Amino acid sequence: MASKVSRDILYECVSEVLKGSETKRRRFLETVELQIGLKNYDPQKDKRFSGTVKLKYIPRPKMQVCVLGDQQHCDEAKANEIPYMDAEALKKLNKNKKLVKKLAKKYDAFLASESLIKQIPRLLGPGLNKAGKFPGLLGHGESMVQKIDEVKATIKFQMKKVLCLSVAVGHVKMSTDELAQNVHLAINFLVSLLKKHWQNVRSLHIKSSMGTAQRLY
Amino acid sequence: MFEDPQSSDEESPVPDADACSGKELVKLFQQEISPASEIAASLKRTCGLHIAQSCEYDTVAVGLSRKELQLYRVRESGELALENGSLGRYESAIRGVRFFNGDPNSLVCCTEDGDIYLYDVRSGSEVHHFVDTSEGAKKTVSSCDINQNDRVLCASSEVQKNGDSFLLFFDIRERNYLGCYWECHSDDITHVRFHPTNPDLFASASVDGLINVFDISKLTEDDAMQYCFNVETAIDAINWHTDPTGRDLVSCVTTTNDLHLYDVESQDSVALFDREQITHSMRRTSAIDCNVVGTHNYGNGSFFVLAGSNFNKGKECLRTLRYDNKCLLPDRSFNGNKQIVRASVYNDKDQYLIATGECGLITLWKCRMDGPEHPSINSASKNLKQKLHVTHRAKPY
């Protein structure tokens, strides 16, 4: 997938965004978003434009992931200071909707061992579904820390009725290089999903939460 | 500098093409089939986005992007013929069309505004209009389906202003609204499919990445929710299949053209094919142009994936890949496809594939060749060429 955004422009815009946040510091960690404007795309006719993509560097470092684990995973979580709950702890919630909702609110995402994930509807009811936080599968072959980093590095995007879409690709404490790589990856993936690829892209901008938008394309 | 394997520094993207020679393709795809019949839905620009066939396979309903529902007769010869005028014209976009499972003359059509129309195709008239106004405004509908015994209609909604998305249930015979599920998804529900033989079982899929399987004979939503599969990415469509031992499988096509397959009872992921793998199985070069249309059951215990390419407005290829023991194998290649295909139906009795798409054409291909018909379930170990008498179309090259 060839890129229509040259490395020079990419780095220039990324630098501008980072510089902007330096000169006017905010009391929170600003997110950097990629804004994509589409053209020649009809939301009524064309296939839905949505999906998930894993970035190279974690855009939301403060994301809290909780492990719903079997014995082995709970031990691993404890050793790595990762929040966890076992089947017993989940059973104690007694399928109480308020408690499940509270649990869902406490964490940004969940990962669950294979044996537990199959029991979630029975143990917790649809509370995690409703909150959009149904756990992802945590296998035994992979490192828990790595899997959690993967979850933190994955971003979702969805085009609704309007022809523009905004997706978080980083934050202002990232280095120019890291941010540029994330932006590049996100652009390439998003464009690869469009039917006519670059011909469907009207514009690309990046901006920090409080900063001015920098045009990439 | 960047490790993304999909990026390159070339000025123009690699055009999509066959990944092997014409000779190889003919060898791999066993059958190269030309259309038996093709009809344009309209002289003006429109897209065919939805299609359904009756249980007797002699009628096909097509939902067009210009908010019109048309009916076509499918003759035994495979010829398509438009039934008089249009069955329905609507204020909002068509989101689903389904025939009844046991009655070839009844079908439902749901529209974005939340209206679901029941038609009798013999009279060509609307018999009933289902709508849920239990909470005031109608909910935007995204898909619908009817259960095996034609008693229950389910319509899925997009996420509403209050953040809820719904599965609405109607009693078809009593013509009334039964109730809804509203806790099982957190984003637009994109597809609902009832089980082909169990009237109580159905599955829903959503942009939230979940496939939920329900038993609607249970009293509450909590109890009805049997299984949840987290695909972890937005889902476009789902379908029911069985494995060679008769176990239920659910497949889904994601919005990024990947195919996932789950064993329902064990809740295990059976197979996962991303668009790169599907493109490779199809023998094409460009994964970013891969267009997975959907899956269909052969009728003998296995199923296939229908996929094409968006390159050159879809004219490049339309192929099927047979699923066999965690592999996708080259199956059939359809010549003369003139559009990006968006919806299809498969008549497993006569082996007709009918597809519609972005040029508003409805095309029928007859897949049956002389000699033994369906690919057998364990064909991976057999040499099909010995069994089938295949007439190859000479490919100029």
Side-chain angles (χ1 to χ4, degrees), chain A residues 8-128:
Chain A
D8 288 341
I9 294 182
L10 176 60
Y11 271 78
E12 201 181 298
C13 290
V14 165
S15 304
E16 277 302 310
V17 166
L18 292 176
K19 208 170 72 179
S21 79
E22 280 285 310
T23 39
K24 204 167 185 184
R25 281 184 185 264
R26 306 291 170 170
R27 284 187 211 158
F28 64 98
L29 179 66
E30 290 180 80
T31 310
V32 175
E33 287 176 346
L34 170 67
Q35 296 172 334
I36 174 167
L38 297 189
K39 66 175 191 213
N40 301 327
Y41 173 88
D42 184 346
Q44 288 286 307
K45 286 191 208 171
D46 283 303
K47 270 185 154 180
R48 184 183 289 262
F49 184 56
S50 71
T52 56
V53 59
K54 183 182 156 306
L55 298 176
K56 192 159 182 203
Y57 302 98
I58 293 171
R60 298 154 305 182
K62 294 197 178 155
M63 195 176 173
Q64 285 286 309
V65 181
C66 177
V67 167
L68 307 177
D70 54 23
Q71 189 60 56
Q72 195 179 331
H73 279 140
C74 286
D75 291 340
E76 193 181 341
K78 199 171 180 181
N80 287 287
E81 291 182 343
I82 294 164
Y84 67 93
M85 286 176 80
D86 62 12
E88 285 311 308
L90 293 177
K91 277 184 194 141
K92 282 209 177 92
L93 299 180
N94 240 334
K95 251 180 157 181
N96 180 307
K97 287 198 197 279
K98 279 205 171 125
L99 291 177
V100 175
K101 193 173 178 180
K102 205 173 164 193
L103 173 66
K105 275 199 156 169
K106 200 172 171 189
Y107 299 100
D108 298 302
F110 295 86
L111 285 171
S113 314
E114 197 176 322
S115 53
L116 264 188
I117 209 172
K118 294 177 181 182
Q119 297 178 58
I120 299 289
R122 245 192 330 254
L123 286 175
L124 301 178
L128 293 186

Side-chain angles (χ1 to χ4, degrees), chain A residues 1-2 130 188 192 195, chain B residues 3 6-7 10 164 275 358:
Chain A
M1 181 77 241
K130 183 118 189 81
N188 275 6
S192 80
K195 192 169 71 184
Chain B
E3 284 141 61
Q6 286 179 329
S7 86
E10 292 159 40
D164 296 324
R275 64 178 170 165
E358 296 191 1

